[in-house]
Amino acid sequence: MRNAWRAWQELSGLLLPVACAGCGRPRTELCTACGAALHGAPARLVRPSPRPPGLPAVYAAAPYENAVRAVLLAHKERGALGLAGVLGRALAGCVRAGAGRPGDAGPLLLVPVPSAPSSTAARGHDPVRRIAAAAARDLRRAGLPAQVLPLLRQRRAVADQSGLGARQRRANLAGALELTAGGGRLLRHGLPRLGRVILVDDLLTTGSTLAEAARAVGEAGGVGRESSVHGVCRAAVVAASPTAFEINRN
């Protein structure tokens, strides 16, 4: 049933009239102006305030507002799957910014933050994993070896994050993620030789989710705050709250 729904979403996007997901302009899935909101500026280092303990360096393409917010929600909640490519391109730029020097050894290992199984079932797709796959393709086309490694999973249910403050979100997510069995073995036995781990998500608000993901990766792979300083574990998102951009404004 899920595959049939996904096929219908993709087919309907081809056959039915479309409007820009960002501004509603007819006969285009994403207009030039809204595309520029995603891709028009270099990726930026962002930091929420307060910064949760254990949050790695995070790079974002654009503030989560106006057209960018509308495009992300269209892809995530309304099944506009054709937008994965442009979102993946934006994420790829952030991965490059956070990956360190171009000559650093090893491929880029994109580890998506997992969605709750119930959310994935309701939407009919995993938006972060889909965007991560598009970003990896974009990176490979640019000559950078990259792959998506879905190493994380939820080990307990969490409450809806909407309406929660930074402290409440940290408490809600504490201990909520863990490595899959295969992911744990992979990180324990070969992380330094495998490449550079980049946690990826669609959005950063308080940073609690990425901090929890970094904790789960670090416990098994020895990739803690010390290693993240050297670029082994960083993070990239398509968008971040406007205040996270303002903190780094000179």
Side-chain angles (χ1 to χ4, degrees):
M1 180 64 72
R2 187 184 304 172
N3 290 336
W5 170 242
R6 186 179 301 164
W8 164 247
Q9 287 178 314
E10 294 177 346
L11 182 62
S12 64
L14 295 173
L15 299 180
L16 300 179
V18 297
C20 174
C23 66
R25 182 175 297 177
R27 292 189 296 277
T28 178
E29 192 168 42
L30 187 68
C31 73
T32 302
C34 293
L38 272 171
H39 305 125
R44 290 268 303 277
L45 183 66
V46 295
R47 179 168 57 87
S49 181
R51 180 176 182 169
L55 181 69
V58 185
Y59 289 80
Y64 185 64
E65 58 187 0
N66 304 326
V68 172
R69 179 179 184 274
V71 171
L72 276 168
L73 288 175
H75 175 263
K76 188 175 199 173
E77 306 294 353
R78 297 197 294 278
L81 304 184
L83 295 169
V86 293
L87 294 170
R89 177 183 158 204
L91 182 63
C94 300
V95 170
R96 282 192 291 268
R101 298 182 300 274
D104 287 348
L108 300 171
L109 308 176
L110 278 53
V111 177
V113 171
S115 300
S118 58
S119 298
T120 301
R123 292 171 179 143
H125 74 122
D126 185 331
V128 175
R129 191 165 173 177
R130 183 178 287 269
I131 295 172
R137 289 193 296 270
D138 190 273
L139 291 164
R140 289 194 295 269
R141 283 194 294 268
L144 296 172
Q147 60 179 307
V148 177
L149 292 181
L151 304 181
L152 293 170
R153 65 186 176 193
Q154 284 197 343
R155 68 178 171 193
R156 64 168 177 82
V158 298
D160 186 354
Q161 297 268 86
S162 59
L164 298 183
R167 183 176 298 178
Q168 293 169 312
R169 289 191 179 209
R170 287 199 299 272
N172 185 39
L173 288 163
L177 299 180
E178 66 180 358
L179 288 163
T180 63
R185 289 192 297 271
L186 188 64
L187 294 184
R188 281 193 297 270
H189 292 104
L191 179 63
R193 298 185 300 275
L194 287 174
R196 291 162 283 171
V197 171
I198 310 289
L199 299 170
V200 295
D201 206 349
D202 57 349
L203 173 65
L204 176 138
T205 49
T206 66
S208 299
T209 303
L210 284 170
E212 169 61 14
R215 179 206 60 77
V217 171
E219 281 189 354
V223 187
R225 264 175 271 179
E226 297 81 5
S227 293
S228 69
V229 171
H230 300 292
V232 177
C233 183
R234 296 191 180 185
V237 296
V238 176
S241 63
T243 56
F245 279 84
E246 291 170 2
I247 287 171
N248 291 286
R249 190 173 292 162
N250 294 323

